[in-house]
């Protein structure tokens, strides 16, 4: 009985020990399961987040090129693409591996016109009063050729100073050459290379353009510069484009305009007087040329003049040329011939008249001379508009005559009617 009791007691004790050992095991299995479930969910969420991040990363490589832009994709600093179409991307949507593997560079399209002003050759407008001498630090200037003047002791090797303003219009014709050979500052956050062009490219362009301006201006006179001769702008534009091509800048010059040009303020009075004298001289030259051309045309043209003045032609040949003359030249020739005929006939008539008077003159010379004198006086008085006759007297000495010229206004009118 006691044995059974002990046995039962031992069995009961063993059962309790099993339950005690099995309870923590069951609790650990439930915690592990919960932990495993939590880790599984976490890894699933993390995998989804990573996939979303990868998708977003790849989608961040999508970029848009505007109609007035062109783009290039740089992979580790080198432009990708084996053809121009692939290297230079046009307007629309494009994709590139996101930064830092690929980098997108956007530049203005070829049809985008850019402008910059060049005022480095202009004077300091803030100094309104000016100074007696030119300050090369604040007053920009360029040199022009000095024309040789025959009346002055000058060989034309001196130069003149002018102030000038310029306007440069250009475009980026080759994006690849422009990016490779023209230094561009790295854009700040939120900026693009297009925003950096005025700060980066304009100093480069102004330096190259200034050299072209200096070289071109020295080949023109100050008068041509003041008048802003279009040839100056064309020559400067041509030289600037040549320099940019040598540098392989990818920049194409549309125009280079000389917008303003003036002489130094320090010599304003002298220059104004010089311009006035030059204008008067030009006016006189134009009038002389016009007068010469009119007279040449009246004489029958320059060919007729050269032919008549030629020493290789005979008088008969020259007479033939005169016969072919037209206009007022022919009229002058006709009048000259008529006058010659008149003089010859008058001389013949006078000779005949004197020949007839010769016998009478030999008999009574005083009477004949008196008659000739009276005929001459009668002819003179007949053509005179006003006649004043004074009879000589023995008592009259040192007579004084006071005559009002043309005291009758109708006489002048009659004279104009009957020349």
């Amino acid at each position: 009985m006691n044995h059974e009791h002990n046995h039962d007691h031992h069995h009961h004790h063993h059962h309790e020990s099993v339950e005690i050992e099995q309870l923590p095991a069951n609790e650990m299995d439930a915690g592990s399961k919960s932990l495993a479930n939590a880790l599984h969910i976490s890894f699933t969420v993390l995998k989804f987040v990573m996939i979303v991040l990868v998708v977003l990363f790849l989608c961040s490589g999508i970029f848009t090129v505007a109609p007035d832009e062109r783009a290039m994709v740089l992979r580790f600093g080198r432009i990708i693409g084996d053809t121009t179409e692939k290297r230079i991307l046009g307007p629309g949507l494009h994709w590139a591996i996101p930064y830092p593997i690929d980098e997108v560079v956007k530049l203005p399209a070829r049809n985008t016109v850019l402008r910059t002003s060049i005022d480095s050759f202009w004077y300091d407008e803030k100094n309104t009063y000016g100074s007696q001498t030119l300050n090369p630090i604040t007053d920009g200037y360029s040199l022009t050729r000095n024309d040789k003047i025959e009346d002055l002791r000058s060989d034309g090797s001196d130069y003149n100073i002018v102030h000038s303003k310029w306007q440069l219009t250009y475009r980026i014709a080759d994006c690849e050459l422009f990016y490779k050979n023209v230094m561009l500052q790295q854009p700040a956050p939120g900026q693009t290379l297009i925003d950096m062009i005025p700060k980066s490219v304009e100093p480069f362009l102004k330096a190259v353009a200034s050299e072209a301006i200096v070289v071109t201006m020295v080949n023109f006179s100050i008068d041509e510069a003041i008048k802003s001769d279009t040839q100056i702008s064309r020559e400067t534009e041509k030289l600037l484009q040549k320099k940019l091509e040598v540098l392989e800048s990818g920049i194409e010059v549309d125009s280079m305009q000389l917008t303003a040009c003036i002489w130094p303020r320090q010599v304003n009075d002298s220059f104004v007087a010089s311009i006035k004298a030059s204008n008067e001289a030009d006016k006189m030259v134009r009038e002389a040329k016009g007068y010469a051309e009119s007279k040449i045309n009246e004489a029958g043209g320059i060919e007729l003049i050269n032919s008549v003045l030629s020493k290789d032609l005979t008088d008969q040949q020259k007479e033939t040329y005169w016969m072919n003359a037209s206009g007022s030249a022919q009229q002058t020739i006709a009048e000259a011939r008529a006058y010659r005929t008149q003089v010859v006939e008058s001389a013949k008539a006078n000779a005949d008249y004197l020949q007839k008077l010769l016998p009478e003159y030999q008999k009574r010379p005083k009477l004949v001379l008196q008659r000739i004198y009276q005929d001459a006086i009668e002819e003179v008085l007949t053509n005179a508009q006003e006649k004043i006759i004074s009879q000589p007297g023995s008592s009259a000495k040192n007579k004084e005559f006071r005559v009002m010229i043309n005291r009758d206004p109708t006489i002048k009118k009659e004279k104009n009617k009957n020349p």
Side-chain angles (χ1 to χ4, degrees):
M1 183 80 179
N2 189 22
H3 176 72
E4 290 178 356
H5 176 74
N6 292 335
H7 178 74
D8 292 337
H9 179 75
H10 177 74
H11 179 74
H12 179 72
H13 179 73
H14 177 72
H15 180 71
E16 289 179 355
S17 64
V18 170
E19 289 180 355
I20 292 171
E21 291 178 357
Q22 288 180 351
L23 182 61
N26 292 333
E27 291 179 356
M28 288 179 64
D29 290 342
S32 298
K33 187 176 181 180
S34 298
L35 180 61
N37 291 334
L39 291 175
H40 178 71
I41 294 172
S42 299
F43 279 116
T44 301
V45 173
L46 181 61
K47 186 186 298 183
F48 177 76
V49 170
M50 291 181 65
I51 292 174
V52 171
L53 290 176
V54 170
V55 172
L56 291 176
F57 176 74
L58 295 177
C59 289
S60 66
I62 300 174
F63 61 94
T64 303
V65 179
D68 59 344
E69 294 178 338
R70 295 296 181 268
M72 296 179 293
V73 178
L74 307 181
R75 182 163 296 167
F76 302 113
R78 299 184 63 180
I79 303 174
I80 63 173
D82 52 0
T83 61
T84 303
E85 289 76 11
K86 293 181 180 180
R87 295 169 73 87
I88 309 298
L89 304 179
L93 289 174
H94 301 277
W95 181 83
I97 301 176
Y99 185 83
I101 299 176
D102 287 352
E103 181 183 0
V104 179
V105 176
K106 294 182 180 180
L107 293 172
R110 183 185 178 91
N111 59 353
T112 302
V113 177
L114 304 171
R115 293 178 175 84
T116 182
S117 299
I118 302 175
D119 300 335
S120 55
F121 296 96
W122 197 246
Y123 61 88
D124 183 16
E125 293 184 343
K126 296 179 181 178
N127 186 5
T128 57
Y129 296 100
S131 58
Q132 294 181 353
T133 59
L134 186 143
N135 187 353
I137 298 177
T138 58
D139 295 333
Y141 66 91
S142 58
L143 301 179
T144 60
R145 186 192 73 238
N146 188 23
D147 288 336
K148 184 177 180 181
I149 303 176
E150 297 180 357
D151 296 338
L152 300 178
R153 296 181 179 179
S154 172
D155 57 358
S157 60
D158 196 6
Y159 297 93
N160 294 308
I161 292 176
V162 293
H163 305 295
S164 58
K165 282 185 178 182
W166 300 78
Q167 180 73 28
L168 171 61
T169 305
Y170 66 97
R171 64 185 72 214
I172 299 175
D174 193 319
C175 296
E176 189 171 348
L177 288 177
F178 178 81
Y179 181 78
K180 288 181 177 179
N181 300 323
V182 178
M183 181 64 68
L184 289 173
Q185 297 179 3
Q186 291 298 324
Q191 290 183 326
T192 64
L193 284 177
I194 297 178
D195 300 326
M196 300 305 298
I197 284 179
K199 297 180 180 179
S200 300
V201 180
E202 287 187 3
F204 162 74
L205 281 176
K206 288 182 178 180
V208 180
S210 296
E211 183 180 355
I213 291 170
V214 170
V215 174
T216 304
M217 290 290 285
V218 79
N219 295 319
F220 291 86
S221 67
I222 189 171
D223 291 335
E224 293 170 332
I226 295 300
K227 296 175 183 177
S228 298
D229 193 337
T230 56
Q231 185 65 22
I232 298 178
S233 298
R234 287 196 294 266
E235 292 294 332
T236 307
E237 177 183 334
K238 188 185 301 182
L239 183 57
L240 175 58
Q241 184 63 61
K242 184 178 179 181
K243 290 180 178 295
L244 292 175
E245 290 175 357
V246 171
L247 296 173
E248 295 183 347
S249 63
I251 298 175
E252 181 179 300
V253 178
D254 273 6
S255 65
M256 184 70 174
Q257 295 294 329
L258 175 59
T259 57
C261 190
I262 193 172
W263 55 88
R265 294 174 293 174
Q266 291 79 4
V267 295
N268 183 69
D269 294 340
S270 300
F271 205 88
V272 169
S274 175
I275 291 178
K276 183 178 179 181
S278 178
N279 292 337
E280 291 178 355
D282 292 341
K283 180 181 178 181
M284 294 176 67
V285 170
R286 289 194 301 268
E287 291 177 352
K289 287 182 178 179
Y291 179 76
E293 290 178 358
S294 65
K295 290 301 178 183
I296 289 174
N297 293 332
E298 291 177 1
I302 189 65
E303 294 182 0
L304 177 63
I305 299 298
N306 293 334
S307 300
V308 172
L309 297 178
S310 176
K311 297 180 180 179
D312 299 331
L313 299 180
T314 62
D315 294 339
Q316 186 176 1
Q317 290 175 329
K318 292 181 180 180
E319 187 68 20
T320 303
Y321 275 106
W322 282 121
M323 293 296 295
N324 295 329
S326 60
S328 60
Q330 187 66 35
Q331 180 181 356
T332 303
I333 293 173
E335 292 176 354
R337 287 175 176 168
Y339 178 72
R340 181 182 62 180
T341 303
Q342 180 182 357
V343 171
V344 172
E345 294 297 328
S346 178
K348 289 180 179 180
N350 291 334
D352 294 341
Y353 176 69
L354 293 175
Q355 196 71 28
K356 293 178 179 179
L357 286 179
L358 182 58
E360 189 67 26
Y361 175 77
Q362 291 175 348
K363 294 179 182 179
R364 292 179 289 273
K366 291 183 178 182
L367 183 60
V368 172
L369 290 175
Q370 186 178 2
R371 180 60 182 175
I372 294 174
Y373 174 76
Q374 290 178 351
D375 292 341
I377 292 298
E378 182 178 354
E379 183 178 356
V380 170
L381 293 177
T382 301
N383 296 327
Q385 295 293 333
E386 295 185 70
K387 305 176 182 66
I388 300 174
I389 301 174
S390 175
Q391 294 291 340
S394 59
S395 61
K397 293 182 180 181
N398 299 327
K399 286 186 177 181
E400 180 180 344
F401 289 90
R402 295 186 180 183
V403 181
M404 181 179 296
I405 305 300
N406 194 15
R407 56 188 178 277
D408 188 356
T410 59
I411 297 177
K412 183 176 181 180
K413 296 180 181 180
E414 292 178 358
K415 184 177 180 180
N416 293 334
K417 293 179 181 179
N418 301 314

